[in-house]
Amino acid sequence: PVLRERCRAAMVAQSEVHATLRVSDTQRNVGASLRRLGEVVEEEHITAEGHSLDYALVDERIAIEVDGPSHFVAHGAGAGRRELGRTVLKRRQLGALGWRLVAVPFFEWDVLNSSDRAHEAANRDAYIKAKLADARGAPAAASAEAAPAVAELSYPQLQAECKRLGLPAVAKAEVLRERIAAHRAGGG
């Protein structure tokens, strides 16, 4: 018990230091999307066990983690896409503590960028809404306006949407559009 309490106190202290560090633009943009969707989140929440969460829906025990490049291996197989051990460990610990995780990796978020700010916000909001629906165990948005129109998506956005839906993401743009449309129609 004494060792456990010392470990918890050390984690809390480290989390409090982490919480005072500069917040990335990506994290700020994810927060803006959450607020546009009407979600009441606690920013830089520290759990009772000492984990620092970028955003938390505390009552639902949903952790929203914005994962920049520092959360992924820098070299070798899977560079930039394979999570570091510390990130994997934190997620496992949060799961064991009853938290559901919404991970927002930078490479999925970046493909939602657009020169049209309204289009960009709609894409980002649809992405976050779908991620939250998955975490809550509910189907993603039932309305057509919740997800961006397939025809409007750029090739990187099509790839990210295919990956999010668990569909193969390597093909010509038209094939990816067909896959997404079939999945959204319930045939996929």
Side-chain angles (χ1 to χ4, degrees):
V2 173
L3 181 58
R4 180 183 296 169
E5 182 52 36
R6 286 177 58 199
C7 289
R8 190 192 74 72
M11 275 188 69
V12 168
Q14 183 63 30
S15 292
E16 289 172 347
V17 168
H18 172 76
T20 63
L21 299 176
R22 182 183 165 320
V23 174
S24 72
D25 289 340
T26 302
Q27 185 174 333
R28 238 188 321 281
N29 289 331
V30 169
S33 185
L34 287 162
R35 286 185 290 281
R36 280 193 303 273
L37 293 171
E39 299 292 345
V40 180
V41 293
E42 186 174 323
E43 192 169 354
E44 297 299 335
H45 176 73
I46 298 174
T47 68
E49 299 78 21
H51 288 290
S52 173
L53 308 176
D54 294 332
Y55 297 98
L57 295 164
V58 179
D59 292 341
E60 296 179 74
R61 291 188 70 81
I62 295 176
I64 299 128
E65 289 286 289
V66 181
D67 296 334
S70 66
H71 289 267
F72 300 89
V73 296
H75 306 288
R81 298 279 198 262
R82 197 175 77 229
E83 297 168 333
L84 291 172
R86 64 183 164 88
T87 300
V88 173
L89 177 61
K90 179 179 179 181
R91 290 182 179 178
R92 286 181 183 163
Q93 289 174 338
L94 288 170
L97 294 167
W99 286 88
R100 290 171 285 165
L101 180 74
V102 171
V104 181
F106 75 98
F107 50 85
E108 288 183 6
W109 190 257
D110 288 352
V111 299
L112 302 172
N113 292 339
S114 172
S115 58
D116 178 346
R117 293 293 176 213
H119 184 66
E120 180 176 77
N123 283 345
R124 289 175 172 179
D125 292 354
Y127 173 88
I128 292 294
K129 188 173 187 175
K131 288 272 198 172
L132 287 172
D134 288 346
R136 290 174 169 140
S143 69
E145 69 184 34
V150 178
E152 296 175 5
L153 297 176
S154 67
Y155 186 73
Q157 291 169 323
L158 289 166
Q159 287 183 308
E161 181 70 0
C162 283
K163 288 177 185 174
R164 188 184 69 75
L165 296 172
L167 302 171
V170 178
K172 292 183 178 181
E174 287 312 307
V175 173
L176 297 181
R177 284 188 174 90
E178 289 171 9
R179 288 177 184 163
I180 294 168
H183 188 275
R184 288 182 179 174

